[in-house]
C-alpha cells in the first residue's frame, strides 16, 4: 500500500522544482510593480509588526514569498480583482468557493487583499490538519498567515480583529471532478456560528478560473479512502496551468439579530443557504465575463 511518506517525498521533490520556477518570476516584475510590492510590504509590517505572532505569522520572513506571490498573481494567473469598493477598513470573515485541486485560490485571494486594497491586510486562511503536516509548506504557509482551522483559533483571531479566509465547502470543494466544476458543495454550519458569536460581518467572494488550472480531473475517492487521504486527483497535468483568474468581492452580509451561535440548525441553515446562493450567482456572473481560455468549462453546456 502506498503510504503518506511516499506522497511526502514526491511533494518535497515537486517543491524543489516549483521553488526554482517561482523564483524566475521575480525577474518579470517591472519597477512600478516592485514599488507596489514594497509599499504593500511596509504597510503590512506596520500593521502586524516585526515579531512572529502566536500562530506563526512573520512578515519579515515572508518578504521573499510576498514578492514571488505578487509576480505569480500578476504575470502567471493575470488576476483581475473586482468589488474592491466593498472592502472597508475593518475585519471580516471572508467566505469563498473552493476550487483548483490545490489551495491556489486561497493564495490569490490573500494576494488581492494584501496588494489591491487601500489598507493592505493579511487574510488568515483556515487550513485542514492534513495541510499542516506537509513538510516545508506548513512552516511557509504559517509565516504567510495560514492557521489550522479549528474553532478556538478562529475565535481568538476574530477577537484580535483579524480577517479570516474560510472555504465552507472544505475538501469537498477543492477536490471536484471536472463534471462538478463551479458547482458549490453544501456549506458547513461552523463558520456561521463563529460569525454570530464574534459579530463579524461576512464578506462573500467568488473565484472564477481556478478550476481550470487542472482542467481534466477525476477524483479517485475510493482509492483516497483506502490510503486515508483527503483526496486523490487523477489529472492530465500535475502542474497548474496559467488559467486567467478573476476574483469577485460581494457586498458585506450583516448578521441577523434574532438568532445566536447556540441556535438550532434549522434556524441557522436558511441563512447559510442564502450565502451559498449569493456566491453561486457571483460565480455564474463571473463566468459570463471571464477571459477566453482554451480549457474553460462551457457554462451553457452546464445548464443543459
Amino acid at each position: 500500500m502506498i503510504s503518506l511518506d511516499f506522497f511526502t517525498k514526491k511533494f518535497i521533490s515537486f517543491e524543489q522544482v516549483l521553488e526554482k520556477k517561482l523564483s524566475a518570476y521575480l525577474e518579470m516584475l517591472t519597477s512600478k510593480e516592485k514599488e507596489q510590492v514594497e509599499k504593500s510590504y511596509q504597510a503590512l509590517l506596520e500593521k502586524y509588526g516585526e515579531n512572529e505572532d502566536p500562530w506563526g505569522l512573520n512578515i519579515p520572513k515572508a518578504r521573499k514569498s510576498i514578492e514571488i506571490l505578487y509576480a505569480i498573481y500578476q504575470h502567471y494567473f493575470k488576476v483581475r480583482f473586482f468589488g474592491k469598493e466593498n472592502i472597508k477598513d475593518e475585519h471580516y470573515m471572508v467566505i469563498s468557493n473552493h476550487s483548483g485541486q490545490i489551495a491556489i485560490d486561497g493564495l490569490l485571494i490573500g494576494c488581492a487583499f494584501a496588494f489591491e486594497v487601500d489598507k493592505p491586510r493579511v487574510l488568515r486562511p483556515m487550513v485542514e490538519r492534513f495541510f499542516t503536516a506537509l513538510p516545508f509548506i506548513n512552516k511557509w504557509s504559517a509565516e504567510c498567515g495560514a492557521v489550522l482551522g479549528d474553532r478556538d483559533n478562529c475565535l481568538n483571531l476574530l477577537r484580535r480583529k483579524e480577517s479570516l479566509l474560510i472555504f465552507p465547502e472544505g475538501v469537498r470543494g477543492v477536490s471536484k471532478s471536472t463534471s462538478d466544476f463551479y458547482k458549490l458543495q453544501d456549506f458547513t454550519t461552523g463558520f456561521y456560528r463563529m460569525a454570530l458569536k464574534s459579530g463579524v460581518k461576512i464578506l462573500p467572494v467568488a473565484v472564477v478560473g481556478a478550476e481550470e488550472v487542472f482542467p481534466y480531473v477525476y477524483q479517485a475517492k475510493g482509492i483516497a479512502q483506502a490510503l486515508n487521504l483527503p483526496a486523490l486527483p487523477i489529472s492530465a497535468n500535475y502542474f497548474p496551468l496559467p488559467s486567467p483568474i478573476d476574483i469577485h468581492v460581494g457586498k458585506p452580509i450583516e448578521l441577523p439579530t434574532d438568532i445566536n451561535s447556540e441556535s438550532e440548525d434549522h434556524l441557522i441553515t436558511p441563512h447559510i443557504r442564502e450565502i451559498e446562493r449569493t456566491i453561486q450567482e457571483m460565480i455564474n456572473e463571473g463566468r459570463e465575463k471571464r477571459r477566453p481560455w482554451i480549457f474553460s468549462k462551457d457554462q451553457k453546456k452546464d445548464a443543459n
Side-chain angles (χ1 to χ4, degrees):
M1 179 178 293
I2 302 175
S3 67
L4 181 58
D5 287 342
F6 171 83
F7 288 100
T8 298
K9 291 176 182 178
K10 290 294 184 183
F11 179 84
I12 293 173
S13 176
F14 173 75
E15 176 270 319
Q16 291 170 344
V17 174
L18 182 61
E19 186 175 17
K20 292 180 180 179
K21 288 182 177 291
L22 293 180
S23 295
Y25 274 86
L26 287 175
E27 300 176 6
M28 300 179 67
L29 290 176
T30 66
S31 58
K32 184 176 181 180
E33 289 170 341
K34 289 177 180 177
E35 289 176 6
Q36 178 59 50
V37 172
E38 183 61 27
K39 179 181 177 181
S40 296
Y41 173 74
Q42 292 300 329
L44 295 174
L45 194 63
E46 181 178 352
K47 182 176 179 64
Y48 298 98
E50 296 185 0
N51 297 323
E52 186 169 291
D53 82 354
W55 294 273
L57 174 66
N58 191 312
I59 299 299
K61 286 185 178 180
R63 179 69 171 89
K64 183 178 179 182
S65 297
I66 289 171
E67 293 178 340
I68 293 173
L69 289 172
Y70 185 75
I72 298 303
Y73 179 90
Q74 287 282 22
H75 294 286
Y76 192 76
F77 293 112
K78 299 179 174 60
V79 178
R80 297 189 304 184
F81 189 51
F82 301 97
K84 181 170 66 173
E85 67 278 4
N86 294 323
I87 306 171
K88 310 304 179 186
D89 187 18
E90 56 186 284
H91 69 301
Y92 296 102
M93 182 178 288
V94 178
I95 300 300
S96 175
N97 61 311
H98 211 2
S99 57
Q101 309 303 317
I102 56 178
I104 287 174
D105 49 6
L107 285 175
L108 298 180
I109 295 170
C111 285
F113 278 73
F115 301 126
E116 301 262 24
V117 301
D118 294 332
K119 299 285 187 178
R121 73 195 71 189
V122 175
L123 289 186
R124 309 305 295 265
M126 300 290 102
V127 300
E128 300 283 343
R129 192 171 298 276
F130 176 84
F131 189 82
T132 64
L134 293 172
F136 168 77
I137 200 169
N138 52 4
K139 186 174 185 297
W140 171 79
S141 62
E143 290 174 354
C144 293
V147 177
L148 176 64
D150 65 24
R151 180 182 175 87
D152 288 341
N153 282 337
C154 291
L155 291 175
N156 285 331
L157 285 163
L158 290 172
R159 291 188 191 104
R160 290 164 61 106
K161 307 298 183 183
E162 298 266 12
S163 290
L164 307 186
L165 173 58
I166 297 179
F167 299 100
E169 296 172 278
V171 174
R172 293 174 296 112
V174 74
S175 58
K176 294 191 290 282
S177 297
T178 303
S179 59
D180 291 324
F181 283 0
Y182 296 112
K183 297 176 184 177
L184 279 183
Q185 308 300 298
D186 288 345
F187 286 3
T188 56
T189 62
F191 81 94
Y192 201 78
R193 291 185 183 279
M194 287 187 291
L196 288 169
K197 190 173 183 65
S198 63
V200 66
K201 293 177 184 176
I202 289 173
L203 194 65
V205 167
V207 180
V208 174
E211 295 282 25
E212 288 89 0
V213 298
F214 298 100
Y216 302 111
V217 179
Y218 172 74
Q219 282 291 337
K221 296 179 180 179
I223 300 175
Q225 284 183 332
L227 297 176
N228 198 28
L229 296 172
L232 184 59
I234 298 174
S235 177
N237 64 293
Y238 284 97
F239 191 87
L241 299 178
S243 171
I245 291 176
D246 294 337
I247 299 172
H248 301 264
V249 179
K251 296 183 182 299
I253 298 171
E254 300 283 352
L255 299 171
T257 57
D258 57 344
I259 59 175
N260 58 53
S261 61
E262 303 302 322
S263 296
E264 296 180 3
D265 280 354
H266 75 274
L267 297 174
I268 287 179
T269 298
H271 296 281
I272 295 175
R273 297 294 171 257
E274 182 59 32
I275 295 172
E276 287 179 9
R277 283 192 289 272
T278 297
I279 294 178
Q280 185 67 67
E281 288 174 2
M282 291 168 62
I283 292 170
N284 294 343
E285 292 174 5
R287 291 178 69 191
E288 293 286 352
K289 301 173 184 176
R290 69 168 302 176
R291 288 159 287 179
W293 168 243
I294 188 171
F295 296 116
S296 294
K297 196 166 187 292
D298 193 332
Q299 184 168 342
K300 293 179 181 179
K301 290 181 180 179
D302 291 350
N304 293 333

